[in-house]
Amino acid sequence: MSLSGAWYLGLAAIVFTIGAIGLLVRRNVLIMFMCIELMLNAANLTFVTFARMLHDIGGQAVVFFVLVVAAAEVVVGLGIVVTNFRRRATTVADDLDSLKG
Amino acid sequence: MVHATLLLASTRPTWPDILVFAAAAAVILVGAVGVVTSRNPVHAALSLVMTLFGVAVLFIEQEADFLAAVQIIVYAGAIVVLFLFVIMFLGVDRAEDINVEPLVGQRPLAFVFSAITLGGVLAMAATAHWVTGARQVVGPIEGHVAGPNSPAGEPAQLGKQLFTTYLFAFEATAALLVIAVVGAVVLARRPPTVHADQEDTSDSELSA
């Protein structure tokens, strides 16, 4: 039998926090996207852990949907990054200040 | 109602399980820190692959074999490759100076608030009196056909649930994927150049 779920939940919380720090600190849009993927993975790990603890397949079904939404999000997000790069030639979030008053 | 103490009390873990968890956790944490601290976006993407593999190992450890395979195929195989493709396509695979801090005081605040969040989540997980609902709301992880000698019927069970209980959500994700693909094509399409002078004026207006 594998370890108790508390270890997995703690690890997921730490990974989520690292992703949140990266999202707040980094300026490159691509790396901010990767940090969002980190946070989504932490949530997935939590779902799978609870699926095992509660012995309920529903948690794993939710992970399936999170995967699909993450894929759709990355496709559209990277499309926006490419489109924006054509106009501004930058992927740094601080340079996208054309709405600044 | 199932309480946390009841949930967390499981049979004694064996040494291989502890070793697998420790190794996977180390891989996950090193990869996650690598994503945040890499100066080169390509290195960050490769660190992300490392984290995704570690998470897949923990999925297998928790009897979610099908999701582990999907994790490798979809995340490591498709999403990270898409990231790498965009990084190389745009040619932004140069090292970036992450020592400069554009917003003064933002990094300490980010660390402080993230530490508060982490502490809050961990304290809540450790001390709170959880009410996590009934067991097996949707269905058990093992299928009915899975005996002690047959392989776990987990993928079959997951598929059954996806096409019965979660059928509407499943169809909605299909629509979402189609919309995302159409949106990506529309975004990536260059506007048709009918007249060169018109293109110039619209460009200058938009970039002004």
Side-chain angles (χ1 to χ4, degrees):
Chain A
M1 195 62 204
S2 53
L3 270 79
S4 78
W7 289 92
Y8 293 91
L9 297 181
L11 178 68
I14 293 171
V15 174
F16 186 89
T17 309
I18 293 174
I21 289 174
L23 185 65
L24 291 172
V25 166
R26 293 306 297 264
R27 286 286 170 269
N28 191 330
V29 179
L30 292 162
I31 291 180
M32 288 163 79
F33 260 118
M34 291 180 207
C35 290
I36 292 176
E37 298 303 316
L38 274 185
M39 293 160 80
L40 285 171
N41 260 278
N44 278 353
L45 188 55
T46 312
F47 274 123
V48 170
T49 306
F50 275 122
R52 177 173 66 98
M53 286 161 71
L54 295 166
H55 208 68
D56 190 330
I57 199 78
Q60 297 190 7
V62 172
V63 171
F64 190 80
F65 293 127
V66 172
L67 277 169
V68 175
V69 172
E73 170 234 330
V74 165
V75 166
V76 175
L78 290 181
I80 292 172
V81 169
V82 170
T83 311
N84 192 53
F85 189 84
R86 285 199 191 129
R87 291 230 177 269
R88 310 244 178 270
T90 180
T91 58
V92 178
D94 275 346
D95 295 344
L96 308 176
D97 56 356
S98 41
L99 283 180
K100 200 171 180 179
Chain B
M1 289 188 293
V2 183
H3 299 148
T5 48
L6 200 151
L7 287 172
L8 299 179
S10 63
T11 50
R12 209 170 170 74
T14 56
W15 274 110
D17 285 325
I18 295 172
L19 280 179
V20 166
F21 178 82
V27 166
I28 288 173
L29 290 178
V30 168
V33 171
V35 171
V36 177
T37 56
S38 290
R39 313 175 76 179
N40 190 327
V42 177
H43 296 172
L46 296 179
S47 301
L48 184 64
V49 173
M50 199 169 151
T51 300
L52 299 176
F53 268 102
V55 172
V57 169
L58 290 188
F59 280 1
I60 291 176
E61 180 73 6
Q62 302 202 82
E63 299 149 26
D65 304 1
F66 174 71
L67 286 180
V70 171
Q71 168 99 354
I72 297 292
I73 294 168
V74 173
Y75 256 121
I79 291 181
V80 174
V81 169
L82 194 61
F83 269 118
L84 285 172
F85 179 78
V86 169
I87 290 169
M88 311 244 173
F89 176 65
L90 297 182
V92 289
D93 50 342
R94 290 180 302 272
E96 162 196 7
D97 188 11
I98 58 172
N99 291 321
V100 290
E101 192 180 7
L103 274 175
V104 178
Q106 195 226 6
R107 283 185 187 179
L109 274 179
F111 279 105
V112 165
F113 282 122
S114 300
I116 289 173
T117 308
L118 176 64
V121 169
L122 289 181
M124 194 176 69
T127 63
H129 184 72
W130 291 0
V131 179
T132 46
R135 288 190 170 218
Q136 295 183 15
V137 181
V138 175
I141 286 183
E142 292 91 7
H144 294 296
V145 290
N149 291 326
S150 60
E154 181 256 322
Q157 191 69 13
L158 183 58
K160 204 174 117 193
Q161 291 303 330
L162 278 181
F163 283 99
T164 53
T165 314
Y166 297 103
L167 181 62
F168 182 73
F170 189 78
E171 298 290 343
T173 53
L176 178 72
L177 276 179
V178 173
I179 293 167
V181 169
V182 172
V185 170
V186 170
L187 279 173
R189 199 173 58 104
R190 285 178 189 279
T193 50
V194 187
H195 299 295
D197 47 9
Q198 277 185 1
E199 180 72 13
D200 279 349
T201 52
S202 65
D203 256 359
S204 60
E205 277 169 10
L206 280 168
S207 59

